[in-house]
C-alpha cells in the first residue's frame, strides 16, 4: 500500500542526509509522526533557522549569528595569531579546547586536484590580504594531516612566507593513548621531527 | 571468502559514512581493487597514513573473488614518497599519474608489467628534476601498455611511410597520417616530421635515463599537444588534476628563482 504523500516526502528528504538510509529515514519519520505537533514544528523551525539566521562571518568565513562573529569582534582575542582551518566546524573543535585565544580563518575547503578544487576556490586571497595588512602575525596552518590538507598548507606557506609572515604548522605525530608499536612509519617519523623538550 | 595478499599503490581514498574510507588501489597481483577500510578516519586507526594516496604498501584484504568491494584487513607502508608530498609540482604530477591510472585501468585488469612501470614512474617523480618529459613518457607508455600504442611507422590511412615536411596525427585512428591523407582530414593534429623521431624515442626510452634527453622547446610543445590529445581522446574528458601541474610549477618558479639569486648573491 502506498504511503501518504507527506510521509513519503519526509522519508525521501531524510534519506538524502549523510549516513541515513531507507530504514533509518522511515524510523525517524514514524517517530516524528507519533510525537506531538509542537515537537515537529520545533524541528521544522530549527531546520529553517539554519538557512535564515546563520550567516558567514566576512572576516574569518566561519558560521555565526551575526557578522562579524563573536570571535572576530572580541577585543580580548589575540589578533597576532590566526589559525587557518579547512571548514567552519573545525573552529568549534579548537574552541572546545578553551586553550586557543587567537583568531581564525576558514578556507572553505582544501586544494584537491582529484575534485578539481584549486586555490582560487578557497579564501586564500583574503588570508593573503590580512597578512599584507599586518605581516607581524603568526599564521597557524591547521589543515588535516592528509594529502590535500598537507599540500594546501605547503601552498599557503609558499604564498605567505614571501610577505614576511611567521607561518607555522600544527604538530603531527602519535595520538595520546596510542601505542608506538602499532604506529605507521610516516606518523612515527613526523613525531620525531616535531619532538619538543621533555 | 578468500584472503588476498599483494603489494599495491593507493590511487585514491574517499570518506564513507562517519569513520570509514573507500580506497582504490592498483595492486601488483590483482589489478585495480576497491576496499572499504572500517574506522580508517579515526585518529587511532590501525591503517594510519597507509591509505593516503600515493603510498606504496603491503596490502591484505578479503572478500569473494571478483566482487566489486572488498574489506580491508591490513596494510603497512613500504614507501610513502614523502619528498614528493613536500614539493607541489612533484606532488601534482604524481596525482595526475594516479588519476590517469584510475580512469584508464579497469577493475580486474591484471598486469604486473603495468604495476612495475607505474611504480618506476613514481620513483622517477621523486628523483628527477625535470618532469615534463616524464609526464609525456607516462602518458604514451601507459596507453601502449593498455593496448593503445600509437602507430608511428606508416600512415594509418594509406599505409605508406610519410615523407619529410609536415605530417599529421589521428587520435581516432591511433597513429600518424601522411601529408597527402591529412589534406582529406584537416581536423587532425599537424606537426613537423622531426618530432616523430622524438615521439619514437619517448616510447622506447628507459625511464631512468629520461633526464638526459634534451628536446627543443618547439618539439616539447608539440609532444605535449599530441600526448595530451591522445589522453583526451581515450578518456573522453580533461582530467581534473592536469591543470594543477602547470599552476604549481608557476608558483614554484619565483621561489626557485629567489633561491637561485640568493645563492648567487652569497
Amino acid at each position: 500500500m502506498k504511503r501518504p504523500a507527506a510521509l513519503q516526502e519526509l522519508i525521501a528528504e531524510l534519506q538524502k542526509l549523510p549516513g541515513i538510509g531507507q530504514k533509518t529515514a522511515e524510523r525517524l519519520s514514524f517517530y516524528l509522526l507519533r510525537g506531538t505537533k509542537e515537537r515537529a514544528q520545533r524541528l521544522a523551525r530549527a531546520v529553517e533557522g539554519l538557512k535564515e539566521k546563520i550567516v558567514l562571518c566576512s572576516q574569518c568565513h566561519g558560521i555565526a549569528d551575526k557578522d562579524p562573529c563573536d570571535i572576530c569582534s572580541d577585543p580580548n582575542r589575540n589578533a597576532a595569531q590566526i589559525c587557518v582551518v579547512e571548514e567552519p566546524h573545525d573552529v568549534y573543535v579548537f574552541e572546545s579546547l578553551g586553550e586557543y585565544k587567537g583568531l581564525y580563518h576558514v578556507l572553505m575547503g582544501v586544494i584537491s586536484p582529484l575534485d578539481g578544487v584549486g586555490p582560487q576556490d578557497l579564501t586564500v586571497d583574503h588570508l593573503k590580504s590580512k597578512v599584507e595588512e599586518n605581516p607581524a602575525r603568526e599564521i597557524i596552518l591547521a589543515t588535516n594531516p592528509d594529502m590535500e590538507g598537507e599540500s594546501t598548507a605547503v601552498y599557503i606557506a609558499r604564498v605567505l612566507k614571501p610577505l614576511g609572515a611567521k607561518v607555522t604548522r600544527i604538530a603531527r605525530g602519535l595520538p595520546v593513548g596510542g601505542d608506538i608499536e602499532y604506529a605507521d612509519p610516516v606518523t612515527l617519523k613526523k613525531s620525531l621531527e616535531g619532538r619538543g623538550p621533555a | 571468502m578468500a584472503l588476498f595478499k599483494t603489494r599495491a599503490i593507493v590511487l585514491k581514498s574517499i570518506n564513507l559514512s562517519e569513520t570509514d574510507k573507500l580506497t582504490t588501489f592498483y595492486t601488483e597481483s590483482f589489478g585495480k581493487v576497491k576496499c572499504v577500510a572500517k574506522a580508517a578516519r579515526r585518529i587511532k586507526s590501525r591503517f594510519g597514513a597507509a591509505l593516503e594516496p600515493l603510498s606504496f604498501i603491503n596490502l591484505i584484504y578479503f572478500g569473494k573473488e571478483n566482487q566489486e568491494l572488498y574489506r580491508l584487513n591490513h596494510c603497512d607502508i613500504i614507501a610513502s614518497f614523502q619528498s614528493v608530498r613536500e614539493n607541489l609540482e612533484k606532488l601534482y604530477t604524481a596525482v595526475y599519474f594516479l588519476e590517469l591510472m584510475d580512469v584508464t585501468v579497469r577493475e580486474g585488469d591484471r598486469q604486473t608489467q603495468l604495476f612495475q612501470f607505474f611504480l618506476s614512474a613514481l620513483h622517477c617523480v621523486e628523483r628527477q628534476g625535470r618532469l615534463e618529459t616524464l609526464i609525456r613518457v607516462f602518458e604514451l607508455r601507459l596507453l601502449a601498455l593498455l593496448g593503445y600504442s600509437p602507430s608511428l611507422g606508416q600512415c594509418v590511412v594509406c599505409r605508406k611511410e610519410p615523407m619529410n615536411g609536415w605530417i599529421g596525427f589521428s587520435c581516432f585512428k591511433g597513429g600518424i597520417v601522411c601529408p597527402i591523407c591529412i589534406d582529406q582530414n584537416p581536423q587532425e593534429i599537424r606537426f613537423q616530421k622531426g618530432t616523430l623521431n622524438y615521439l619514437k624515442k619517448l616510447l622506447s626510452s628507459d625511464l631512468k635515463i629520461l633526464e638526459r634527453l634534451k628536446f627543443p622547446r618547439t618539439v616539447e610543445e608539440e609532444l605535449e599537444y599530441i600526448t595530451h590529445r591522445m589522453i583526451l581522446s581515450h578518456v573522453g574528458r580533461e582530467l581534473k588534476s592536469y591543470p594543477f601541474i602547470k599552476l604549481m610549477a608557476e608558483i614554484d618558479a619565483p621561489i626557485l628563482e629567489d633561491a637561485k639569486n640568493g645563492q648567487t648573491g652569497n
Side-chain angles (χ1 to χ4, degrees):
Chain A
M1 195 180 132
K2 209 176 168 187
R3 292 190 191 99
L7 182 66
Q8 190 56 44
E9 195 184 341
L10 180 62
I11 293 171
E13 287 304 318
L14 288 172
Q15 241 181 295
K16 290 176 189 168
L17 300 175
I20 294 187
Q22 169 84 16
K23 286 281 167 202
T24 312
E26 281 176 9
R27 202 168 61 243
L28 292 172
S29 303
F30 279 107
Y31 174 78
L32 287 169
L33 191 63
R34 277 196 303 273
T36 60
K37 192 177 177 183
E38 285 70 35
R39 179 189 277 168
Q41 280 172 339
R42 273 200 305 275
L43 179 68
R45 277 197 300 274
V47 173
E48 211 172 47
L50 263 182
K51 286 291 170 190
E52 286 184 357
K53 293 178 187 162
I54 290 181
V55 291
L56 279 184
C57 173
S58 58
Q59 293 188 22
C60 70
H61 301 275
I63 50 169
D65 296 319
K66 59 181 184 357
D67 182 19
C69 68
D70 288 341
I71 299 171
C72 291
S73 54
D74 184 351
N76 297 322
R77 305 285 301 208
N78 180 4
Q81 282 184 329
I82 298 178
C83 180
V84 180
V85 294
E86 290 180 15
E87 300 289 347
H89 57 78
D90 294 333
V91 171
Y92 298 99
V93 179
F94 278 98
E95 280 300 290
S96 66
L97 296 174
E99 295 283 325
Y100 178 69
K101 299 293 175 204
L103 301 177
Y104 293 93
H105 183 90
V106 182
L107 290 171
M108 304 303 276
V110 273
I111 300 172
S112 175
L114 295 176
D115 298 315
V117 181
Q120 71 283 357
D121 302 312
L122 310 178
T123 59
V124 180
D125 284 344
H126 188 197
L127 179 64
K128 197 178 165 189
S129 64
K130 283 181 191 175
V131 173
E132 279 166 344
E133 278 168 24
N134 181 5
R137 283 171 157 166
E138 180 187 0
I139 308 297
I140 306 164
L141 301 174
T143 51
N144 283 330
D146 54 16
M147 190 183 78
E148 285 91 358
E150 289 289 352
S151 59
T152 305
V154 172
Y155 173 81
I156 294 173
R158 291 271 165 90
V159 174
L160 299 186
K161 275 184 183 171
L163 303 175
K166 182 187 176 189
V167 185
T168 56
R169 180 85 173 105
I170 52 165
R172 288 142 291 171
L174 295 169
V176 176
D179 197 323
I180 288 175
E181 189 185 351
Y182 298 109
D184 65 84
V186 178
T187 309
L188 206 52
K189 197 175 156 220
K190 291 280 179 196
S191 71
L192 272 174
E193 284 169 1
R195 71 188 186 278
Chain B
M1 196 80 83
L3 197 69
F4 304 92
K5 195 175 174 184
T6 178
R7 296 194 304 168
I9 295 160
V10 181
L11 297 182
K12 67 175 179 187
S13 269
I14 56 169
N15 293 340
L16 189 73
S17 72
E18 198 68 17
T19 56
D20 303 345
K21 271 187 177 179
L22 173 60
T23 308
T24 310
F25 303 95
Y26 190 70
T27 69
E28 188 171 29
S29 312
F30 310 104
K32 194 167 94 173
V33 166
K34 283 182 183 170
C35 292
V36 173
K38 300 296 276 182
R41 292 175 67 196
R42 287 192 194 280
I43 221 99
K44 289 181 190 173
S45 162
R46 63 201 163 108
F47 302 120
L51 297 182
E52 281 298 291
L54 200 65
S55 300
F56 175 36
I57 59 171
N58 279 317
L59 171 70
I60 301 174
Y61 62 94
F62 62 91
K64 287 178 191 160
E65 209 157 339
N66 297 324
Q67 74 183 54
E68 207 170 296
L69 275 183
Y70 294 91
R71 181 86 171 259
L72 190 63
N73 181 258
H74 175 82
C75 50
D76 48 41
I77 299 172
I78 303 169
S80 62
F81 296 102
Q82 202 54 39
S83 62
V84 174
R85 293 172 198 275
E86 286 158 9
N87 178 312
L88 292 178
E89 192 188 356
K90 286 187 177 207
L91 176 64
Y92 291 127
T93 301
V95 170
Y96 176 56
F97 290 178
L98 298 182
E99 192 183 4
L100 255 183
M101 286 293 290
D102 190 34
V103 297
T104 55
V105 179
R106 289 182 189 167
E107 275 161 66
D109 189 2
R110 301 172 189 196
Q111 265 205 66
T112 312
Q113 202 188 349
L114 180 56
F115 181 84
Q116 292 302 342
F117 167 70
F118 183 31
L119 184 59
S120 305
L122 293 181
H123 280 300
C124 285
V125 175
E126 194 171 35
R127 283 192 301 262
Q128 291 183 6
R130 280 186 76 253
L131 299 169
E132 279 287 310
T133 318
L134 180 64
I135 296 168
R136 302 288 85 81
V137 171
F138 188 81
E139 290 170 328
L140 271 175
R141 298 268 280 277
L142 173 64
L143 290 179
L145 283 163
L146 291 171
Y148 301 98
S149 186
S151 170
L152 303 178
Q154 53 192 19
C155 170
V156 285
V157 180
C158 66
R159 300 283 160 202
K160 285 180 188 158
E161 203 168 317
M163 290 168 291
N164 287 334
W166 287 92
I167 54 170
F169 189 90
S170 168
C171 292
F172 179 67
K173 294 192 174 85
I176 54 165
V177 185
C178 70
I180 299 160
C181 296
I182 202 168
D183 288 338
Q184 292 152 20
N185 301 281
Q187 73 279 15
E188 310 293 18
I189 309 165
R190 286 161 193 261
F191 61 95
Q192 288 176 0
K193 184 149 186 240
T195 305
L196 183 61
N197 296 327
Y198 290 107
L199 206 55
K200 286 177 182 169
K201 199 179 260 183
L202 287 183
L203 261 175
S204 59
S205 297
D206 189 340
L207 284 175
K208 287 172 190 158
I209 61 142
L210 281 185
E211 266 204 315
R212 284 186 237 154
L213 297 179
K214 293 271 184 278
F215 301 97
R217 190 64 218 157
T218 50
V219 172
E220 268 187 0
E221 282 165 8
E222 282 185 336
L223 288 172
E224 182 184 356
Y225 188 65
I226 295 164
T227 57
H228 190 58
R229 282 285 297 270
M230 282 171 74
I231 293 292
L232 281 179
S233 159
H234 184 69
V235 178
R237 63 173 169 87
E238 177 71 279
L239 294 192
K240 288 174 182 169
S241 56
Y242 188 71
F244 281 77
I245 303 171
K246 287 210 164 144
L247 178 73
M248 293 306 158
E250 281 165 19
I251 289 162
D252 275 342
I255 289 154
L256 293 173
E257 193 63 31
D258 286 349
K260 209 171 146 188
N261 292 341
Q263 275 176 359
T264 320
N266 292 335

